[in-house]
Every structure is written in C-alpha cells, then in structure tokens.
C-alpha cells in the first residue's frame, strides 16, 4: 500500500525505505563486497560522448546504405534515434526515482512482471555475450587491411589477452581505456565531417562537385520497402548501448551518415561485403579511398579497429553487471552474484571472456554456421529492451497514480510525460513489424526461407521461451503485477514539493518552447538535493544516490 504523501515530512527530496521491506543493497554481492564506482568525471564526460560510437556506425552503416539507399539510411537511423530519445527519458525518470543496481531490467521486474524482466534481462546479457566473439573477429579482420600474411587467430588471441588485462583493473581499467579510445573516435568523427564536406564540394580528388548526385543516381532509396525495412535492425545494433548517453552521440551518427550517403554511391559493389564482421569494407574508409587521399584511409581503418576494440571492452562491462544483478534477484545461479574485494563480479567476467573463445569457432569455415546462429541471438534484443523500458514507464505512471501519488513528487520527469513512452513503444513495435517483414522478404523478389528468417529474427522466439520458462518455474501466470501489490517505497527517492512552487502557465505563446523542452529536455522538479539522513515518522531515510 502507498504511504500517505501528507504524512511524509516536507523536505525537498528524500530517500524512503519502508522498514517492513527488504532494504538490502542490491549491489552487495554474496561476499558482502560491492561493485566499484571508480569512474571519474573526466571518464563520464568523454565516454558519454564517444563511448557508444563503434562498429555499428563505422561498418554496419555500409550494409544499410547498400540495402536501403542514403534516404533510408538517414530515415531509419533517425526513427531509431527518436525512439531511443523517449526510451532514455523514460529510463531517466525511473533511475532518478529508484537508483538501484541492475538498470532497466530491475524496473521491469518491479513494475511490469518478473517473468518479462527475467526474459529481457537475460536476452540483454546474452546479446552482449555473443557480440564479444563477433567484435574480436571484426577487429582481427581490420588488421588484414595492412597484413594478410598473419592468421586472424593470432590477432584474436592478442585482443582477447588485452581484454583480460583490462578486466584485472576492474571498472577503473574500463574507464581509462574507454577514455582514450573515445577521444580517438570523437576526433575521427569530427575530422570525417570536415573532410566529407571538402570531398563533397570538390576540394580534393578528381570528381569535382558531388552535391546530392548520388541521391539522384543510383537514387535515394534502394530495393523498395524491403530495403527500407531492413535498415531498422542495423540501426538498432548501431545505437545499442547508447541508452544513457543518447543526445551527445546522435549528432555524430546522423551527420556522419549524411556525409557518407552524399560522397559514396549506394550501389558500390564493395558495400555488399560491409556487413557481419567484414570491417575491411567500412564505407568511411571507402569514401576516403575514392577521394584519392593518401595515408588517410589507413588512419581511418585504424580508427575502425579502435572502435571495434572499444565495443568489445564494453561487452565485458555491460554483460557482467547485468548477470550479477540477475543473480542478486535470484534469476541466475547464485555464484554469479559473487563480487571480489576489488569490486569485480569475478565469475561473470570469467563467463564473458570464455565466450570470447567462440571467436576461434567463427574463424573455422566449418564453424561459421554455428557462430552466425549465436550472433543472431542479439539481432532484435535492443528493440525488446527499449520497448520494455517504455512499457515499464507507462506501467509505473499508472501505478504511481493508483497509489495516490502526484507528478509533483517525481524529481525528474520527461517533458512529454507518459505520451513520450507511448510513442517510443509504438515505434519499437513498428520496427519489429518492419524487421519481421524484411526477414521474410529481404529483397523485392525474395521467397520466404526459414533459415534466413530465423537468422534475423531468432531473438524473438528466444525471449518468448525465456518468458514462458520463468512463468512455468514460478507458476505465476498473471500478465502483470496488480497495481495495489507493487512496492513503491523500497529505494524510493521522492521529491516533496514546497508551497512556493508554481506550475508553468500553459499559453499559446509559450507552446513552441514547451514542445521543444518536451522533446529535448528532462524537467527537474524545483528544490535542493536531499541532505536529511535521519529517520522520520517510522520511515528510514537512506542515501542511495549513485
């Protein structure tokens, strides 16, 4: 049952934990140690801008350009970007109100349904686990740009050892490596934008002024609706991992892809290989090569190598923390909850690095099929994750109102409120439908093929199996948790509005600015941060801010 808001002391913001609930910090492992939080401000600032720029932008965009054309490339990535905007805003509201370990999946468990939370949590972890060997192979292939006489297995080993060394230093090692790699990627993106404009206007090379020539011939769109629909899953893979840093990297994605679509024709045969782990066909490298510029193609290829290694580094961070949180909730083997004295989820790290060994399977011709099926697990994961986040925010707002709370008590809330989450959820569903269609008909004259379909849509039956499996295990067949049974108090960080706070007057004059703020800003409830650390009126105030 909800606490009576009027009985809660009128402080600006407080952390409430009802004494009748389990107040154990979810970040404490079975040994009592907690996950380290050693990232400094400089790490956060740079990683927020460049940490999510990876192979999806530098490589995957080539396949999207070839399949759908430059217009489909921009539209598809923009739609996924808008979808992710609303997803990020929904997650921001929940994260500020309930700053707990486990990120998105813990909110799904709490406000929607434990079985669905189990399913999307493990689907997210599996996607990171299976992406790691893919990234190791991709990084190794980039080396073939310079040396084809050395086996890729050598470079897979080198990169895997590097990742193991990084993990020895825990989150601090992750932060330092990502800081350096992100600086390189940011510089490369900015440099490519400037270079692309110079190339497009005829400043270098012998092609003269290009302008929008390639949008007319071979055309803005390719392969009709089939090509357009195929872009979404590639865009989702590219944006994957940007949930917390969206607006700072959206600029790099959209502007860089616009430049690529202007200076590289979508019917270039070399783009046909710009998919999977074939990073030698990066559209960024190809565009610079076509301009006849010496040395720069090698530099850009080095950046692609750096970007792929960066994603591999992120794999070991994202999956391990998710698995550790699942174990804390009793949704994974208990040994995965173990955190050593240095704040590392040790067994989770071991499992993630063990998955890296699958990259050797991908190098063998006879193991390619198995490897591709493993990689297919991550194909649609992000749509399910983002859609579940939007659904969770919608469900939370309903429960919040049903238990007698008001919007003024939420410290941070999106400008468009729950409507933004409805839009985000709707776009996720539309992208899943479009991907379903493109999986059946990848080209206008294609005939449905079971193997090709499941290679693109395997994540859907997997997440359904996880959902039904946990339902069967727990024997809880409710579609969602009833609103009156949801615990809104544990870990709650609520804002208590003061008498001097006045709502913004809604007029036609300020409507345009309200729309802009609704789309691009998160509204902060007035008031100072919580400073009260004492118990009041039977409630225990806990400092859970991260």
């Amino acid at each position: 049952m909800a606490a009576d808001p009027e009985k809660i002391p009128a402080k600006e913001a407080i952390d409430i934990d009802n004494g009748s609930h389990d107040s154990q910090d979810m970040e404490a492992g079975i040994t009592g140690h907690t996950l380290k939080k050693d990232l400094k401000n400089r790490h956060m600032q740079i990683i927020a801008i460049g940490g999510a720029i990876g192979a999806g932008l530098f490589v995957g965009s080539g396949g999207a350009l070839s399949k759908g054309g430059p217009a489909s490339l921009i539209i598809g990535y923009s739609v996924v970007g808008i979808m992710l905007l609303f997803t990020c805003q929904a997650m921001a509201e929940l994260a500020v109100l309930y700053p707990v370990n486990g990120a998105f999946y813990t909110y799904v468990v709490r406000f929607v349904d434990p079985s669905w939370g189990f399913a999307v949590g493990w689907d997210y972890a599996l996607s990171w686990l299976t992406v790691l060997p893919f990234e190791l192979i991709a990084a190794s292939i980039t080396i073939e740009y310079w040396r084809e006489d050395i086996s890729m297995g050598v470079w897979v080993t080198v990169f895997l050892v590097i990742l193991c060394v990084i993990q020895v230093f825990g989150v601090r090692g992750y932060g330092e490596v990502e800081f350096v790699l992100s600086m390189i990627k940011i510089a490369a993106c900015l440099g490519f934008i400037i270079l692309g404009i110079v190339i497009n206007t005829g400043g270098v090379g012998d092609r003269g002024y290009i302008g929008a020539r390639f949008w007319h011939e071979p055309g803005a769109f390719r392969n009709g609706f089939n090509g357009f629909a195929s872009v979404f899953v590639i865009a989702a893979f590219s944006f994957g991992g940007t949930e917390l840093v969206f607006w700072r990297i959206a600029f790099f994605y959209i502007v860089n892809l616009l430049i690529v679509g202007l200076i590289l024709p979508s019917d270039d045969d070399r783009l046909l290989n710009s998919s999977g782990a074939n990073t030698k066909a990066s559209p960024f490298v190809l565009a610079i090569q076509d301009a006849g510029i010496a040395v720069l193609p090698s530099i850009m290829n080095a950046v692609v190598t750096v970007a792929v290694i960066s994603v591999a580094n992120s794999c070991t961070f994202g999956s391990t923390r998710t698995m550790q949180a699942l174990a804390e909730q009793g949704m994974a083997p208990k040994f995965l909850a173990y955190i050593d004295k240095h704040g590392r989820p040790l067994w989770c790290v071991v499992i993630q690095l063990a998955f890296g060994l699958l990259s050797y399977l991908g190098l063998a011709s006879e193991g390619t099929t198995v490897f591709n099926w493993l990689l297919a697990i991550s194909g649609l994961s992000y749509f399910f994750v983002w859609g579940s986040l939007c659904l969770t925010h919608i469900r939370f707002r309903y429960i919040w109102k049903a238990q007698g709370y008001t919007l003024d008590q939420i410290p941070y809330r999106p400008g468009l409120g729950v409507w933004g989450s409805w839009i985000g959820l709707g776009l996720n569903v539309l992208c899943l439908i479009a991907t379903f269609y493109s999986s059946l008909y990848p080209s206008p004259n294609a005939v449905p093929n079971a193997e090709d379909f499941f290679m693109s849509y395997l994540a859907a039956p997997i997440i359904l199996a996880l959902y039904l499996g946990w339902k069967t295990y727990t024997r809880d067949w409710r579609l969602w948790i009833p609103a009156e049974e949801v615990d809104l108090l544990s870990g709650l960080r609520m804002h208590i509005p003061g008498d001097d706070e006045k709502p913004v007057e809604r007029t036609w004059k300020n409507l345009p600015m309200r729309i802009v703020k609704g789309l691009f800003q998160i509204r902060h409830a007035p008031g100072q941060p919580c400073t009260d650390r004492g118990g009041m009126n039977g409630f225990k105030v806990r400092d859970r801010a991260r």
Side-chain angles (χ1 to χ4, degrees):
M1 295 296 291
D4 185 350
E6 295 183 358
K7 295 181 179 179
I8 299 175
K11 298 295 181 182
E12 296 294 347
I14 60 176
D15 295 338
I16 303 176
D17 190 357
N18 191 328
S20 64
H21 298 286
D22 182 9
S23 61
Q24 180 183 2
D25 191 336
M26 289 176 57
E27 291 197 12
I30 58 178
T31 60
H33 301 301
T34 60
L35 294 172
K36 287 291 185 181
K37 308 177 187 67
D38 285 343
L39 293 183
K40 296 183 178 180
N41 184 61
R42 64 181 177 88
H43 295 137
M44 298 301 294
Q45 292 297 323
I46 298 301
I47 293 174
I49 299 174
I53 300 173
L57 171 64
F58 290 125
V59 183
S61 58
L65 177 62
S66 176
K67 292 178 180 179
S72 294
L73 182 69
I74 297 300
I75 294 173
Y77 274 71
S78 297
V79 168
V80 173
I82 292 171
M83 173 204 312
L84 191 52
L85 162 64
F86 294 120
T87 302
C88 290
Q89 290 189 331
M91 185 163 61
E93 177 176 317
L94 294 171
V96 172
L97 201 56
Y98 297 97
V100 296
N101 182 35
F104 76 94
Y105 111 88
T106 57
Y107 302 129
V108 182
V109 169
R110 187 168 186 173
F111 301 117
V112 181
D113 175 59
S115 297
W116 188 248
F118 171 84
V120 295
W122 267 112
D123 186 60
Y124 186 73
L126 286 172
S127 68
W128 279 118
L129 288 171
T130 55
V131 162
L132 177 59
F134 163 81
E135 298 295 342
L136 290 173
I137 291 178
S140 302
I141 292 178
T142 62
I143 306 299
E144 289 192 336
Y145 185 84
W146 301 288
R147 296 288 300 271
E148 294 187 356
D149 58 325
I150 300 178
S151 171
M152 285 194 299
V154 174
W155 298 112
V156 166
T157 303
V158 170
F159 294 137
L160 191 56
V161 170
I162 291 174
L163 290 179
C164 291
V165 172
I166 294 173
Q167 290 304 306
V168 170
F169 297 96
V171 68
R172 186 63 178 272
Y174 164 81
E176 293 295 347
V177 171
E178 281 301 301
F179 178 83
V180 175
L181 300 186
S182 294
M183 289 284 287
I184 295 173
K185 291 185 288 184
I186 292 169
C189 284
L190 291 174
F192 184 81
I193 291 173
I194 297 172
L195 177 62
I197 294 174
V198 173
I199 294 174
N200 184 261
T201 55
V204 295
D206 56 1
R207 293 184 294 178
Y209 176 76
I210 299 175
R213 181 193 310 168
F214 298 138
W215 281 60
H216 297 285
E217 182 60 43
F221 296 93
R222 286 174 56 84
N223 299 314
F225 181 76
N226 308 75
F228 176 77
S230 66
V231 172
F232 291 109
V233 71
I234 302 175
F237 180 82
S238 302
F239 274 108
T242 68
E243 295 86 358
L244 297 178
V245 296
F246 172 74
W247 272 115
R248 295 184 180 184
I249 61 91
F251 169 81
F252 292 110
Y253 271 83
I254 303 303
V255 176
N256 273 274
L257 293 177
L258 176 62
I259 296 295
V260 167
L262 287 173
I263 63 178
L264 187 67
S266 58
D267 62 349
D268 192 313
D269 291 339
R270 294 171 296 179
L271 291 176
L272 297 176
N273 294 322
S274 186
S275 59
N278 196 344
T279 53
K280 289 188 295 183
S282 168
F284 289 76
V285 176
L286 298 179
I288 299 174
Q289 282 180 334
D290 290 350
I293 305 175
V295 181
L296 277 184
S298 289
I299 295 176
M300 194 66 209
N301 191 70
V303 172
V304 174
T305 305
V306 164
V308 176
I309 295 174
S310 174
V311 174
N313 188 36
S314 297
C315 288
T316 59
F317 188 81
S319 67
T320 54
R321 272 60 185 178
T322 302
M323 287 190 292
Q324 191 276 333
L326 283 163
E328 286 289 351
Q329 286 272 359
M331 294 182 171
K334 194 169 183 61
F335 76 92
L336 293 179
Y338 176 80
I339 299 174
D340 67 12
K341 63 181 180 180
H342 299 291
R344 299 170 299 195
L346 190 60
W347 290 112
C348 297
V349 171
V350 170
I351 290 176
Q352 174 65 88
L353 294 176
F355 263 78
L357 299 175
L358 292 175
S359 54
Y360 295 106
L361 180 65
L363 294 176
S365 57
E366 61 273 11
T368 301
T369 301
V370 177
F371 181 75
N372 287 338
W373 278 107
L374 287 173
L375 187 60
I377 294 175
S378 63
L380 294 175
S381 294
Y382 292 113
F383 286 136
F384 287 108
V385 169
W386 298 336
S388 296
L389 264 171
C390 292
L391 175 63
T392 301
H393 182 239
I394 294 168
R395 180 70 180 159
F396 161 75
R397 281 292 189 92
Y398 170 78
I399 297 171
W400 187 260
K401 181 179 179 180
Q403 293 199 13
Y405 292 101
T406 66
L407 294 181
D408 292 336
Q409 295 171 293
I410 300 176
Y412 287 84
R413 57 187 187 272
L416 291 186
V418 74
W419 291 107
S421 293
W422 276 111
I423 295 172
L425 179 59
L427 289 176
N428 271 282
V429 172
L430 289 176
C431 287
L432 284 171
I433 294 173
T435 305
F436 181 87
Y437 177 82
S438 66
S439 299
L440 286 175
Y441 304 99
S443 62
N445 298 320
V447 176
N449 178 279
E451 181 176 349
D452 293 340
F453 172 78
F454 284 108
M455 193 69 73
S456 300
Y457 224 76
L458 182 61
I462 286 180
I463 200 169
L464 181 61
L466 289 169
Y467 172 72
L468 294 177
W470 193 253
K471 283 287 186 186
T472 303
Y473 176 75
T474 59
R475 298 181 180 180
D476 182 2
W477 295 100
R478 297 178 299 182
L479 187 60
W480 53 63
I481 306 173
E484 64 274 8
E485 294 184 16
V486 174
D487 171 25
L488 288 178
L489 296 178
S490 296
L492 175 61
R493 184 183 177 88
M494 184 194 296
H495 169 72
I496 305 299
D499 296 334
D500 57 340
E501 296 179 15
K502 297 180 179 179
V504 177
E505 183 181 0
R506 296 174 177 268
T507 64
W508 287 106
K509 184 177 180 179
N510 65 18
L511 177 61
M513 186 55 64
R514 284 191 286 116
I515 293 176
V516 171
K517 290 182 178 181
L519 287 173
F520 303 111
Q521 296 183 6
I522 297 176
R523 186 162 60 245
H524 176 212
Q528 299 298 321
C530 172
T531 57
D532 195 321
R533 293 290 177 258
M536 299 180 182
N537 288 5
F539 289 99
K540 187 167 49 179
V541 181
R542 296 171 58 92
D543 181 9
R544 290 199 173 186
R546 300 300 177 206

